[in-house]
Every structure is written in C-alpha cells, then in structure tokens.
Amino acid sequence: MTLDDALAALKAHVEDGRAEGAAAYHKVPRTYLGVPNPALNDLTKAWRQQLSVEERVALARALWDTNIFEARLAAAKLLTQARIKPDQAVWDLIKSWLPDLDSWAIADHAMMAGQKRLIADPSRVAEVEDWTRSDSHWIRRAAMVVTLPWTKQNHPKPQDLEIREKVLGWAAAYVNDPDWFIQKSVAWWLRDLSKHDPDRVIAFLREHGKVMKPFARKEASKYLPPKA
C-alpha cells in the first residue's frame, strides 16, 4: 500500500464540518481531514492484517510525515498491537516521533502504541527515563502516558513493582512543575493506580499532594475514600 492509497482511503471517510471542528478544538495549525475515529480504527485494522511489519513501519512513517491530523493518528494505530515480531523498528519509529508531539490527541495515540512495546520489553523503561529530563513538556508527559500499564496490575510481579516505583519517582519530581499537562499526567497516573493500589496513592499524596495543583490533587483522589 502506498501513501497515496492510504490518504485516498482516509479521505473517502471525511464527514462534512468535522475538520473545522477538530481544528478549532485542537488549536494546532495543521491539516484536518474530518475523519471519525471509528473509520480510522476500521481502516488501520485492515491495514495491519494486510501488511508486513516492515511495510507497516514504512507506511506509518510516511503517514506521520504528512503532518495531517488523521494521518498521524492512523500512523500510531498501525503500530498499536501487542504482538509484533521483530519490533525494534517499531519502537525506534515511535521514539523518533517524540520531538513532533504537540497535541494531546496525537501524543496519546503515539504513546498507546508505545505502551505495547514497553509491555513486550519492559527494559525499555530505562530509555523512557531519559524523556523525563526533556525540555519539551510533551515528551515529559509522554513518559507518564507510555507507562500507564503499570498502574493496572492487581497482582504485580517484583519487576512490575520496581517499574511502578520508578515512575512514581518521576511523578514526585514532576509535582513542582506548574505546566498543566504535566500536572494532569501525574494526576492521571495516580488516579488509575488508585483503582488497584489505593494505599500507595494515599501515601504519595500525603507526601507530595500539598505542592500539586488543586485540580491535579482532586483528579488523583477521584477514586479514593473521602477521607483518605
């Protein structure tokens, strides 16, 4: 499948008025086609079944490089799959996108693809730690989003607990950052973790909650007991 083929398939699903609404909502200057998410899911699912890993990486790279909103979402969705072997080229491509992150929707889709590659090889979390020192708040935020799977285990293994504590260490360093997206990423991580390990979140908030922004502290506490 060529890039032109993929773009033609995307444009066949454009809905009138949707592009203007997306541009106004995301507020990042780029081309918006107006393709709904269900159509993107159906198209990329079919492409994943038709293409080899090498072909998918090539198409994802080409779609991303167009800087079209839906094309970048499709690029990420092409690579969002648990079992990909070999997957180093996929991980490398996802990392190469980091400097381009400039909106939450694109960033979150890219990091959902990244989550699958971290689960496949948790040693890659060591690479993610470098992201926490980036000058870009989008890249710092990505470190929290890509590690969200470690908030979800009810019975984490020792390695999982080690990663969980590592990320909580990043979160502790982030709480003094006034950037809204950074505060939101910490709150998101804590909120999800609270569903599976509320005591650890309570301990974190007792130590660091006072310096978090009120909205972030409230979000992090959403599923905790009222007087936690």
Side-chain angles (χ1 to χ4, degrees):
M1 175 177 290
T2 68
L3 174 61
D4 287 343
D5 292 336
L7 291 177
L10 290 173
K11 291 174 182 177
H13 292 274
V14 167
E15 291 185 355
D16 289 343
R18 191 177 185 91
E20 294 79 5
Y25 178 73
H26 292 289
K27 298 181 176 65
V28 178
R30 57 166 44 95
T31 299
Y32 297 82
L33 299 177
V35 180
N37 206 50
L40 289 173
N41 289 338
D42 290 344
L43 287 170
T44 53
K45 180 180 179 180
W47 297 344
R48 286 197 304 267
Q49 294 171 345
Q50 296 166 12
L51 302 175
S52 68
V53 173
E54 184 178 1
E55 290 169 334
R56 285 163 56 188
V57 168
L59 181 57
R61 180 180 290 110
L63 285 165
W64 186 274
D65 288 346
T66 66
N67 196 26
I68 297 170
F69 178 73
E70 290 87 352
R72 286 195 164 181
L73 298 188
K77 289 175 183 292
L78 258 179
L79 305 182
T80 305
Q81 183 177 332
R83 295 182 181 181
I84 301 178
K85 292 185 178 181
D87 75 343
Q88 187 60 44
V90 175
W91 175 237
D92 289 342
L93 181 57
I94 293 167
K95 289 190 298 178
S96 77
W97 293 341
L98 291 171
D100 296 331
L101 300 182
D102 58 4
S103 75
W104 67 264
I106 290 174
D108 287 359
H109 277 81
M111 290 307 104
M112 286 175 67
Q115 289 173 10
K116 302 298 186 184
R117 307 286 42 88
L118 287 191
I119 294 169
D121 184 355
S123 70
R124 289 168 172 156
V125 171
E127 298 177 59
V128 176
E129 189 161 17
D130 290 338
W131 306 2
T132 67
R133 295 182 282 271
S134 173
D135 291 336
S136 165
H137 72 259
W138 289 110
I139 297 177
R140 297 197 305 277
R141 176 185 182 275
M144 302 301 294
V145 179
V146 79
T147 53
L148 279 169
W150 279 271
T151 67
K152 302 182 188 304
Q153 303 106 330
N154 285 317
H155 304 288
K157 298 177 181 177
Q159 182 189 40
D160 297 321
L161 287 173
E162 182 179 346
I163 292 172
R164 182 180 290 180
E165 288 303 314
K166 181 185 290 290
V167 180
L168 286 169
W170 305 345
Y174 279 5
V175 293
N176 290 301
D177 192 319
D179 184 90
W180 188 91
F181 283 104
I182 296 299
Q183 291 277 324
K184 180 69 173 179
S185 72
V186 172
W188 185 0
W189 220 91
L190 294 172
R191 182 197 67 199
D192 283 8
L193 180 59
S194 72
K195 299 175 186 178
H196 305 275
D197 192 351
D199 290 343
R200 185 63 185 90
V201 175
I202 290 169
F204 183 96
L205 291 174
R206 285 176 177 167
E207 184 174 359
H208 303 289
K210 290 182 180 179
V211 296
M212 293 172 67
K213 295 291 186 183
F215 85 87
R217 189 167 60 248
K218 180 179 180 180
E219 179 70 11
S221 305
K222 183 175 181 179
Y223 299 115
L224 294 176
K227 294 185 179 180

